[in-house]
Amino acid sequence: MMALTERQPQLEKKPVRPRAPMSGKAVAALCVASFVVGLLLTGRVSLLSASGPSAIRGGAKVGSGCENKRFSQKLGEGHPKDLLNEVSRTHQAIQSLDKAVSTLEMELAVERARGGAGAGTAVASKPPQKAFVVIGINTAFTSRKRRDSLRETWVPRGEKLRKLEKEKGVVIRFVIGHSGTPGGALDRALDAEEAETQDFLRLDHAEGYHELSSKTRIYFTTAVAAWDADFYVKVDDDVHLNLGMLTSRLAKHRTRPRVYVGCMKSGPVLSQKGVKYHEPEYWKFGDEGNKYFRHATGQIYAISKDLAAYISINQPILHRFANEDVSLGAWLIGLEVEHVDDRSMCCATPPDCEWKKRAGNVCVASFDWSCSGVCKSVDRMRHIHKACGEGEGAVWNVAV
């Protein structure tokens, strides 16, 4: 004890060497090294306790020391990569779960909207009928001859229409609202036509050329309430359509949740008053001379169930631009949507669609760009159908 106390003063006499301060780089390197070592140690402990020859059972290690050593060496070499793979798998699982939850929320919202019938619908609150595609043909009161030209070509009539709907799930309706004076002569004439043909979808909407964006919103809302379909199509009554080609094209996209199909374009924003397709809100699209965002041309387009449901649910707050096709593109541009540019949906009339048919590439739809539809469609629709039509039985051979 005495010897120990005597030596203590000698220890205190030793000079203390001053340590050089660590540089900033050294401190950063030490922090990074400590973090990596911590990850390796925590990952190693979790794996050692979970599986392998060194698994701990009841507090006792199972396996020989050599096995434990080999396992530790292998773990030390491959663990960082395994950790990254595990993080990637977890991220993918979270994304899949998020999509599943979003789909369920959308379906729930659709059922609530159907239960409430929705604004602008003229359909009674009843369970929607199952269908593959609902094709809404946009028409007007003065277009009786156009409608008849379609009934004489690609739109089935009577029992054929009902059979197509029942057996193939293809629903076809002429879409129209009411006149500015409900119950007037125009409405009565349409009532008589509907009683004869039974191929209309009536909307709670006042007809008018400058109200096409509103009509489009109400059409999708009404269609979603009446039919539970995979796709909803809007087509003008001066467009030639091949039903078999349309259904076969859409069937390829059936497994995709949010699909917007059509001939995508990006035309100029017209700010001059008095011109056709004038855009009063041109300033919202940037400086003069700008173009619209990419969207499907308005003669024909198709959207999948989720997108139609989105429009149905949110239609009271969806902004309407002057042009209906621009409005639809605006409603979908901010969503997770797959835009499908299908050029077979905008073939020109003969000889273009006729040449493509002879080459084995039958068009989905044909019209004249110069007329935004088939020019003089009442007089020419039969000729176009003969030259470019797929044949009456084509739609029956499509597996949907």
Side-chain angles (χ1 to χ4, degrees), residues 193-262:
E193 183 182 349
E194 182 179 15
E196 176 187 350
T197 61
Q198 297 182 1
D199 55 6
F200 280 92
L201 176 64
R202 306 290 289 270
L203 307 180
D204 184 10
H205 165 76
E207 285 291 319
Y209 179 78
H210 296 291
E211 297 297 328
L212 288 179
S213 293
S214 294
K215 185 176 181 179
T216 301
R217 293 188 313 178
I218 297 172
Y219 159 60
F220 286 120
T221 301
T222 307
V224 167
W227 293 281
D228 181 12
D230 292 325
F231 295 96
Y232 298 84
V233 173
K234 176 263 175 183
V235 59
D236 289 339
D237 61 3
D238 56 353
V239 171
H240 180 265
L241 183 64
N242 281 315
L243 295 174
M245 287 303 301
L246 175 65
T247 52
S248 63
R249 291 276 184 169
L250 294 180
K252 296 178 180 179
H253 306 296
R254 196 171 194 173
T255 58
R256 301 172 184 175
R258 291 172 295 277
V259 182
Y260 175 30
V261 187

Side-chain angles (χ1 to χ4, degrees), residues 340-362:
V340 179
D341 184 18
D342 191 341
R343 309 313 292 182
S344 71
M345 296 178 73
C346 55
C347 295
T349 55
D352 178 62
C353 59
E354 186 176 8
W355 291 341
K356 290 177 179 177
K357 177 184 175 180
R358 291 178 180 177
N361 300 315
V362 179

Side-chain angles (χ1 to χ4, degrees), residues 12-137:
E12 292 176 356
K13 291 179 181 178
K14 289 183 179 181
V16 180
R17 294 181 180 179
R19 295 183 179 180
M22 295 181 67
S23 65
K25 292 183 177 180
V27 173
L30 181 61
C31 292
V32 172
S34 300
F35 177 72
V36 172
V37 171
L39 285 177
L40 292 174
L41 290 176
T42 54
R44 182 180 297 179
V45 170
S46 63
L47 286 173
L48 284 172
S49 61
S51 62
S54 59
I56 300 175
R57 298 176 183 172
K61 291 183 179 180
V62 181
S64 64
C66 294
E67 289 176 342
N68 290 338
K69 184 176 180 180
R70 286 197 299 270
F71 182 72
S72 299
Q73 289 175 347
K74 185 177 179 181
L75 181 64
E77 293 172 357
H79 180 65
K81 186 177 180 180
D82 294 339
L83 183 63
L84 291 176
N85 291 337
E86 186 65 29
V87 170
S88 178
R89 285 194 296 269
T90 303
H91 181 65
Q92 292 175 359
I94 292 173
Q95 285 184 324
S96 299
L97 183 61
D98 182 58
K99 289 181 180 179
V101 171
S102 298
T103 300
L104 289 173
E105 288 177 342
M106 180 66 73
E107 291 177 355
L108 180 60
V110 171
E111 293 304 320
R112 287 175 177 171
R114 283 171 176 159
T121 66
V123 178
S125 179
K126 60 182 180 179
Q129 302 176 26
K130 289 287 184 179
F132 172 66
V133 59
V134 175
I135 302 172
I137 306 172

Side-chain angles (χ1 to χ4, degrees), residues 139-284:
T139 192
F141 286 102
T142 57
S143 299
R144 172 66 191 259
K145 290 184 178 180
R146 283 188 179 184
R147 292 191 290 273
D148 286 341
S149 71
L150 298 190
R151 293 178 182 125
E152 293 169 358
T153 53
W154 63 266
V155 174
R157 291 190 281 187
E159 287 303 316
K160 290 183 178 180
L161 184 67
R162 306 291 169 249
K163 183 179 179 182
L164 185 64
E165 181 176 331
K166 183 178 180 181
E167 297 185 13
K168 302 300 289 186
V170 178
V171 179
I172 305 174
R173 296 289 187 275
F174 289 100
V175 180
I176 194 168
H178 56 77
S179 67
T181 55
L186 293 176
D187 293 291
R188 291 196 301 271
L190 195 67
D191 291 340
E193 183 182 349
E194 182 179 15
E196 176 187 350
T197 61
Q198 297 182 1
D199 55 6
F200 280 92
L201 176 64
R202 306 290 289 270
L203 307 180
D204 184 10
H205 165 76
E207 285 291 319
Y209 179 78
H210 296 291
E211 297 297 328
L212 288 179
S213 293
S214 294
K215 185 176 181 179
T216 301
R217 293 188 313 178
I218 297 172
Y219 159 60
F220 286 120
T221 301
T222 307
V224 167
W227 293 281
D228 181 12
D230 292 325
F231 295 96
Y232 298 84
V233 173
K234 176 263 175 183
V235 59
D236 289 339
D237 61 3
D238 56 353
V239 171
H240 180 265
L241 183 64
N242 281 315
L243 295 174
M245 287 303 301
L246 175 65
T247 52
S248 63
R249 291 276 184 169
L250 294 180
K252 296 178 180 179
H253 306 296
R254 196 171 194 173
T255 58
R256 301 172 184 175
R258 291 172 295 277
V259 182
Y260 175 30
V261 187
C263 286
M264 300 295 164
K265 66 175 185 177
S266 180
V269 180
L270 302 179
S271 59
Q272 300 87 354
K273 290 184 178 181
V275 301
K276 192 176 182 180
Y277 306 126
H278 166 61
E279 179 57 71
E281 298 179 272
Y282 62 89
W283 62 274
K284 289 186 177 180

